[in-house]
């Protein structure tokens, strides 16, 4: 294996005959904490912070709070089989919110209703805060997250690069 610099870790995963090259850190970590109030949209607020702070490799570390609205795509989506999109319009507790943030964020959420039943999926839009959303955002300094179409999956997938490669 050839490494471009000492800070780069290259992992190869063999899937059939294809070899996928994954790049990750090690990287320094910067942390940002925010609190959103009633009526604010979580995704819009996250993207505004990413843009305002010029974050290159941001991700959601943790989030607790509640929402009144969400639009999610359920699992098993493929390019030939678009999955069910659900529109939720009731009060939910945020059990988990994770994912990467860039121009096309990739976020997954798990919510619990008043009876404790959970639902989760890929965030499409409309994460409207009910009472509060306390969110911690991390950034892998020295790295950059972008997305490129992956012919194997049919979706734009995460590409991780060092900022020195983009210079």
């Amino acid at each position: 294996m050839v490494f471009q610099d000492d800070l780069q870790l290259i992992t190869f995963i063999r899937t059939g005959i294809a070899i996928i090259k994954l790049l990750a850190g090690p990287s320094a970590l910067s942390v940002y904490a925010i609190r959103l109030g009633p009526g604010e949209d979580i995704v819009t607020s996250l993207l505004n912070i990413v843009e305002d702070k010029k974050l290159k490799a941001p991700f959601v570390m943790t989030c607790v709070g509640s929402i009144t609205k969400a639009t999610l795509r359920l699992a098993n989506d493929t390019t030939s089989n678009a999955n069910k999109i659900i529109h939720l319009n009731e009060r939910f507790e945020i059990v988990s919110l994770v994912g990467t943030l860039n121009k096309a964020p990739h976020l997954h959420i798990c919510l619990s209703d008043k009876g404790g039943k959970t639902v989760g999926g890929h965030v499409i839009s409309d994460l409207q805060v009910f009472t509060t959303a306390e969110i911690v955002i991390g950034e892998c300094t020295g790295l950059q997250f972008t997305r490129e179409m992956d012919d194997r999956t049919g979706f734009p997938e995460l590409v991780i690069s060092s900022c020195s490669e983009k210079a």
Side-chain angles (χ1 to χ4, degrees), residues 82-96:
N83 271 353
K84 184 177 179 182
I85 304 285
I86 58 172
H87 303 277
L88 305 171
N89 289 294
E90 61 182 281
R91 295 176 183 165
F92 288 92
E93 286 291 322
I94 300 169
V95 176
S96 176

Side-chain angles (χ1 to χ4, degrees), residues 88 90-95 110-120:
L88 305 171
E90 61 182 281
R91 295 176 183 165
F92 288 92
E93 286 291 322
I94 300 169
V95 176
C110 183
L111 305 166
S112 68
D113 66 13
K114 64 184 176 185
K117 292 181 183 172
T118 58
V119 62

Side-chain angles (χ1 to χ4, degrees), residues 31-94:
V31 179
Y32 302 84
I34 62 168
R35 180 187 172 267
L36 302 177
E40 292 187 79
D41 182 80
I42 292 173
V43 176
T44 300
S45 298
L46 289 172
L47 292 177
N48 286 342
I49 289 165
V50 168
E51 185 177 324
D52 291 348
K53 301 287 184 191
K54 296 179 178 29
L55 305 180
K56 302 290 185 206
F59 59 96
V60 176
M61 296 177 74
T62 190
C63 173
V64 296
S66 59
I67 61 165
T68 57
K69 205 170 148 181
T71 301
L72 308 177
R73 184 184 72 222
L74 302 181
N76 202 24
D77 199 23
T78 65
T79 53
S80 61
N81 174 33
N83 271 353
K84 184 177 179 182
I85 304 285
I86 58 172
H87 303 277
L88 305 171
N89 289 294
E90 61 182 281
R91 295 176 183 165
F92 288 92
E93 286 291 322
I94 300 169

